[in-house]
Amino acid sequence: MIVLGLHFGHDAAVSVLRDGAIASYVLRERHTRVKHAATLDVATVRRALATAGVGAADVDAVAVCSTQGVELIADDPAALSVEYAATDPFGRPCTLLEEEPDAASRRGGGEFLDFLYDADLSATWLGRSYAKLFPEHTGLERSAIRATPWIDDYVTDPSWADGRGLAEIAAAPTSPQDRLRYGFHLPVRVSFDGVTVPGYAVHHHLAHAGSVYYASGFREAAVLTHDGYAEGENYHSGMYYLGRDEALYPLAPHHLGLGGLYDRVGAALGLGVVGPAGKLMGLAAYGRPRFYSSRFLGNHHDLRGRLRTDVATAWLRHCRREAERLGYDLAPYGDPRQATAPVNADIAASTQKLFEEVRMEAVRTLHASLGAAGLTVPDLCMSGGTALNCPSNSQVAQEGPFRRVFVEPACDDGGIAIGAALAVHHSILGNPRAEEAGPGPAFPSPYLGGPASSETVEAALRAVGDAVVVERLAGPGQIAERAAEDLVANRVVAWFEGGSEAGPRALGHRSLMADPRDAANWERVNRIKDREAWRPFAPAVLAEHAADWFRDVPLPSPYMLFNATVRRAEIPAVTHVDGTARIQTVDASAGLYHAVIAAFHDRTGVPVVMNTSFNGPGEPIVELPEEALALFLKTELDVLYLDGLRITRA
């Protein structure tokens, strides 16, 4: 069975499943070169189908998803369109639920989502940044765009809007119901290149849950999804689920607003509007949580009676007042050039502690609610953008009530094209999971991008001509040895190998590597990448040696999603100021990347290298050979390995 997954929101992507296995995955930003690119273009869909070796006529079902409130927009509606169906793919009648009264006004009269494409909104801090996520926004008039409303615009069971605090949710027995398993989606018809295929529009957080649960290998697991959606009063900010065999059961909304709070604080501290969370997480280590207050513990409904405004506004106001009371110099507040000044660093540290405490309470709430129903579920899956928070993930794994914790590499919105397709294939259509699933975690390969052909590599080399010198090495062993020699010689190595990684973290196929023993490489690589000098780097460690060099972390940790305490002093370039590191454990499944680290270990006795993403400032990770060559030539990188070819400047 072939299932096509289409994600139209920010971090838009397309996936193809063949009998439940991922046959291809294309993240749109990697090809448009617009970071977090939103909406879908026909070229991305065709690329995914071609990589999987199938055509539109081979597709049996389509899973459609989007970011909360973001409509379904394609660059060529004649070639790609979605419409809601009167019957589901089995011919059962479906009456669309009544549209919410303000839905049309939110869509600007139903033509296009204001949030992406509106002259008035573009004057605001949000609009200026998010309009850029639509790559065609400078070349298409609003009147030329057709948009299909997203399922968020339809009324659902109003009882889900009734708010409960975390303690109330914990005390209420939560058990799986088929009524909810077969909810949270609507039937659609998708037309692509002249072929119409039945499918389902899948709720955003059901897609997140599908992305993590079906990758985990667990036969049964509790699931928590949560992302940057700012409003916690409904289920769009995240949900609790139970995964059992092929089924995913929605249990309850948790009404958290952590993702939105974290982004707001990052923006207020001058760390950017789109994607400040990663910087805020790194900045927190420079400060102390002096402004933390338990008054802000809880979900939206816990806080509604305590705060006079939204939690982000109240929290920032509280932090500034405390800073003023304690005599901080407030002049650097929000100045990115003084990000590590005490007022900024301590607000970051306080926000991180609040994030960790609230999220831990939400995890305990899920465990308690399942227990109240008599269910013993030992394993937890977490997804959504908040699952990129490594210190919190480690806290949940080390101190939480679940035996094992799994987070998938594409836990951001880029992964929901996969998750929606998996949810349709397994939970909605009832197809069983692979026999080898369980007990988990499975740690499937993150290298889902299409590899470059040798013809593509050679064409890219011809295009740069005499600007580079190409050394063709004799086989994988010599390639790994030569790269290790470069690292020992303290060269910064750009590494391009096979298919690219899914998710926002570089995991060794589109990476920059450096010697972690030289503390100066921290500043040096930040300068090469044109990043803030204070931002930390991650260590990649041979999996069999990880426990000797790091502690307080679940092992293995192949996706760079958990923080560890560094045991040894020999790797200062990848040890953050608080003595921690966001580690990636590496085994032979990573290919030549693993062989390079092993060869470096043989020469130095250190089984660790610095690993960071192969991209320029504000750019997506490189996808194609020509992008790798272009970035290499315009930076101070010392050497590029391009699918085994050693490349230096002429």
Side-chain angles (χ1 to χ4, degrees):
M1 183 177 193
I2 304 295
V3 179
L4 176 66
L6 304 177
H7 168 45
F8 286 82
H10 67 71
D11 297 284
V14 178
S15 70
V16 178
L17 301 185
R18 182 182 287 108
D19 296 327
I22 301 169
S24 70
Y25 171 73
V26 179
L27 183 63
R28 192 182 185 210
E29 69 165 30
R30 303 283 176 87
H31 297 273
T32 63
R33 310 309 298 161
V34 174
K35 200 166 185 179
H36 304 299
T39 74
L40 274 181
D41 59 331
V42 171
T44 298
V45 184
R46 288 176 180 155
R47 186 176 290 115
L49 290 171
T51 302
V54 299
D58 300 313
V59 175
D60 298 296
V62 182
V64 177
C65 56
S66 189
T67 303
Q68 299 95 318
V70 177
E71 296 169 312
L72 311 180
I73 300 164
D75 67 329
D76 183 359
L80 173 61
S81 63
V82 180
E83 63 177 356
Y84 292 98
T87 60
D88 72 7
F90 301 100
R92 295 174 296 206
C94 173
T95 302
L96 281 182
L97 299 169
E98 180 184 357
E99 194 170 17
E100 293 180 356
D102 64 341
S105 63
R106 288 204 311 271
R107 297 197 305 271
E111 297 169 351
F112 196 83
L113 187 71
D114 291 330
F115 161 125
L116 288 175
Y117 204 99
D118 186 278
D120 296 330
L121 186 61
S122 67
T124 70
W125 65 272
L126 183 66
R128 277 198 306 273
S129 297
Y130 276 88
K132 297 174 184 175
L133 305 188
F134 178 44
E136 294 81 11
H137 81 283
T138 58
L140 291 174
E141 294 295 328
R142 177 172 176 158
S143 59
I145 301 297
R146 278 176 49 194
T148 299
W150 184 226
I151 57 174
D152 297 349
D153 285 340
Y154 295 94
V155 174
T156 55
D157 183 347
S159 66
W160 283 74
D162 292 342
R164 293 184 294 169
L166 291 178
E168 294 175 86
I169 298 172
T174 300
S175 56
Q177 301 177 42
D178 280 339
R179 178 180 70 88
L180 296 179
R181 171 187 173 181
Y182 295 111
F184 292 91
H185 64 270
L186 289 172
V188 295
R189 287 189 298 270
V190 178
S191 297
F192 180 68
D193 281 349
V195 177
T196 299
V197 183
Y200 295 96
V202 177
H203 182 247
H204 182 86
H205 283 282
L206 180 58
H208 273 311
S211 176
V212 66
Y213 171 64
Y214 296 114
S216 71
F218 297 142
R219 279 296 183 185
E220 184 176 56
V223 183
L224 186 158
T225 69
H226 182 39
D227 57 19
Y229 189 77
E231 300 173 12
E233 72 271 20
N234 56 39
Y235 53 80
H236 295 315
S237 73
M239 294 272 293
Y240 293 138
Y241 297 85
L242 177 68
R244 179 178 288 169
D245 294 322
E246 72 272 13
L248 262 174
Y249 297 94
L251 299 176
H254 48 58
H255 303 298
L256 298 179
L258 289 175
L261 167 68
Y262 210 79
D263 282 343
R264 276 280 301 279
V265 174
L269 295 183
L271 304 180
V273 174
V274 179
K279 294 182 182 182
L280 184 65
M281 183 174 66
L283 180 60
Y286 288 89
R288 295 176 295 167
R290 297 185 68 190
F291 310 138
Y292 171 76
S293 169
S294 60
R295 186 167 71 93
F296 291 88
L297 280 175
N299 68 7
H300 173 82
H301 298 287
D302 290 317
L303 300 177
R304 186 168 52 184
R306 299 180 211 159
L307 307 177
R308 297 179 180 178
T309 183
D310 65 276
V311 63
T313 300
W315 171 252
L316 284 166
R317 187 178 297 155
H318 159 79
C319 289
R320 282 182 59 92
R321 285 175 177 168
E322 283 297 293
E324 187 173 10
R325 184 181 67 83
L326 294 170
Y328 280 69
D329 178 7
L330 297 184
Y333 174 75
D335 183 352
R337 297 165 299 180
Q338 302 182 70
T340 59
V343 65
N344 295 321
D346 286 1
I347 289 175
S350 302
T351 304
Q352 177 64 34
K353 180 172 176 60
L354 178 63
F355 183 101
E356 292 174 11
E357 294 302 315
V358 174
R359 192 162 179 244
M360 177 63 85
E361 190 59 32
V363 168
R364 293 187 177 116
T365 294
L366 173 55
H367 187 266
S369 185
L370 291 167
L375 299 175
T376 301
V377 182
D379 299 316
L380 174 68
C381 297
M382 298 191 296
S383 190
T386 60
L388 291 168
N389 193 293
C390 299
S392 176
N393 290 347
S394 289
Q395 184 195 36
V396 169
Q398 296 291 308
E399 304 173 19
F402 291 93
R403 179 182 62 187
R404 293 177 297 189
V405 176
F406 179 81
V407 182
E408 87 277 30
C411 58
D412 63 342
D413 278 13
I416 67 174
I418 297 171
L422 287 167
V424 165
H425 181 76
H426 291 300
S427 193
I428 295 174
L429 298 181
N431 291 299
R433 298 169 70 189
E435 287 299 321
E436 61 267 22
F443 300 115
S445 172
Y447 308 118
L448 301 180
S453 66
S454 58
E455 294 81 7
T456 302
V457 172
E458 294 298 333
L461 288 170
R462 287 194 298 271
V464 297
D466 295 337
V468 299
V469 175
V470 180
E471 184 179 351
R472 299 178 187 270
L473 300 164
Q478 189 178 7
I479 295 167
E481 295 293 333
R482 193 75 169 90
E485 290 172 8
D486 284 323
L487 290 169
V488 172
N490 213 16
R491 299 185 181 103
V492 179
V493 174
W495 189 261
F496 182 109
E497 176 185 352
S500 61
E501 303 89 332
R505 306 257 161 91
L507 300 173
H509 279 203
R510 301 292 188 275
S511 285
L512 305 182
M513 291 187 283
D515 189 340
R517 300 172 300 166
D518 185 351
N521 279 335
W522 183 336
E523 181 181 353
R524 177 188 178 195
V525 178
N526 268 326
R527 184 180 68 251
I528 289 172
K529 295 193 67 173
D530 195 20
R531 299 196 326 175
E532 298 88 343
W534 54 265
R535 292 177 63 184
F537 289 103
V541 56
L542 296 176
E544 63 270 27
H545 295 285
D548 298 327
W549 289 76
F550 304 97
R551 62 179 173 85
D552 305 326
V553 63
L555 295 174
S557 180
Y559 304 140
M560 209 185 289
L561 289 166
F562 292 88
N563 254 32
T565 302
V566 180
R567 289 183 182 272
R568 310 271 288 266
E570 295 97 313
I571 50 173
V574 294
T575 303
H576 206 1
V577 293
D578 62 350
T580 67
R582 186 180 70 188
I583 75 167
Q584 178 201 3
T585 57
V586 183
D587 62 22
S589 67
L592 270 178
Y593 175 58
H594 172 266
V596 172
I597 304 173
F600 181 80
H601 178 224
D602 290 341
R603 283 165 171 73
T604 65
V606 176
V608 179
V609 299
M610 176 194 286
N611 172 27
T612 187
S613 56
F614 190 0
N615 63 302
E619 296 176 350
I621 296 172
V622 301
E623 178 72 14
L624 303 175
E626 54 265 36
E627 296 158 4
L629 283 162
L631 186 57
F632 171 68
L633 288 171
K634 73 180 184 182
T635 62
E636 298 174 38
L637 291 165
D638 295 307
V639 58
L640 165 65
Y641 284 81
L642 183 58
D643 273 345
L645 302 175
R646 185 179 185 274
I647 296 168
T648 53
R649 292 175 187 79

